[in-house]
Amino acid sequence: MRETERKLKALMLMGLDGDAVAQGRLLSDLSALLKHFFARRLGRDDGDVEDLVQDCLIAVHVRRETFDRSGLFTPWAYAIARYKLIDHYRRKRVRSWSPLDEADELFAPDWTDDAMHARDVNRLLGSLPDKQRDAIRKTRIEGLSTEEAAAATGMSPSLVKVNVHRGLKALMARVGKGGDHADG
């Protein structure tokens, strides 16, 4: 699935840069994924599957400017699909239930959670000053020692420690207050 992500994101970026052929290929390739997504939830014979695919493709096209170029494409597209499905259920007044052991099939692929978490972390880190962001990324995300992070960033080891401490303190204050809800 990661190869599919790379391909779709590349098409999305080319489409955003004005390549109409790439945009058309993106929508065509995405159509197959969305059809499978909706068919698993509604049933292959449900006449609403194709309508939902078209609604979703229109939404992806219309909202393409809201796509974060540094983020992943498929979690963004699946989020749109989930909202379209929820709207469909509301219109039809559908109340659905599934056995707990089949609950995994109701959600997007597991790796999309990792992608959404990474996007949220990047968004939070992006709110910090550069030195704090770099120090946290090098030590806490990349796993470098303080000395290695100092060499990589040009800071002294003690300054790396100070920037990590201040950055984490700022992030905890922001998250604790609910100041940054990454919702889209």
Side-chain angles (χ1 to χ4, degrees):
M1 192 61 150
R2 294 185 194 276
E3 182 58 34
T4 301
E5 167 61 30
R6 278 191 285 277
K7 178 182 171 188
L8 292 175
K9 182 175 180 180
L11 290 171
M12 178 65 162
L13 294 176
M14 289 186 289
L16 287 171
D17 291 335
D19 186 336
V21 173
Q23 183 69 19
R25 277 190 50 214
L26 168 71
L27 295 176
S28 176
D29 292 354
L30 184 57
S31 176
L33 288 176
L34 293 172
K35 191 170 193 171
H36 180 71
F37 176 86
F38 291 122
R40 278 185 20 198
R41 285 148 184 85
L42 298 174
R44 296 216 177 272
D45 296 328
D46 193 309
D48 293 326
V49 169
E50 200 57 45
D51 291 339
L52 283 167
V53 168
Q54 293 305 314
D55 285 349
C56 196
L57 291 175
I58 290 169
V60 165
H61 181 71
V62 169
R63 295 186 184 117
R64 68 187 180 274
E65 296 298 328
T66 67
F67 175 69
D68 178 5
R69 288 174 173 263
S70 65
L72 293 173
F73 175 75
T74 50
W76 180 79
Y78 277 126
I80 292 172
R82 281 191 299 273
Y83 287 119
K84 291 295 179 185
L85 186 62
I86 290 168
D87 290 344
H88 169 76
Y89 285 148
R90 284 184 183 139
R91 277 192 310 273
K92 298 280 185 170
R93 298 178 188 222
V94 171
R95 299 274 186 218
S96 180
W97 67 273
S98 293
L100 206 48
D101 57 339
E102 295 176 14
D104 287 345
E105 294 180 17
L106 298 175
F107 302 100
D110 289 340
W111 64 269
T112 59
D113 286 341
D114 293 339
M116 287 191 268
H117 294 301
R119 182 200 66 201
D120 292 343
V121 167
N122 286 333
R123 183 173 288 153
L124 282 168
L125 287 177
S127 69
L128 294 175
D130 291 344
K131 289 185 179 188
Q132 291 176 7
R133 178 180 54 245
D134 293 344
I136 291 172
R137 189 173 300 282
K138 294 291 183 196
T139 59
R140 298 302 195 260
I141 296 175
E142 295 176 19
L144 299 180
S145 69
T146 302
E147 289 74 23
E148 292 168 329
T153 61
M155 293 182 242
S156 69
S158 60
L159 188 55
V160 168
K161 289 179 185 178
V162 167
N163 279 314
V164 167
H165 174 74
R166 288 180 180 164
L168 291 176
K169 186 175 177 182
L171 290 175
M172 295 208 333
R174 219 171 257 125
V175 171
K177 292 178 186 171
D180 189 346
H181 294 286
D183 55 7

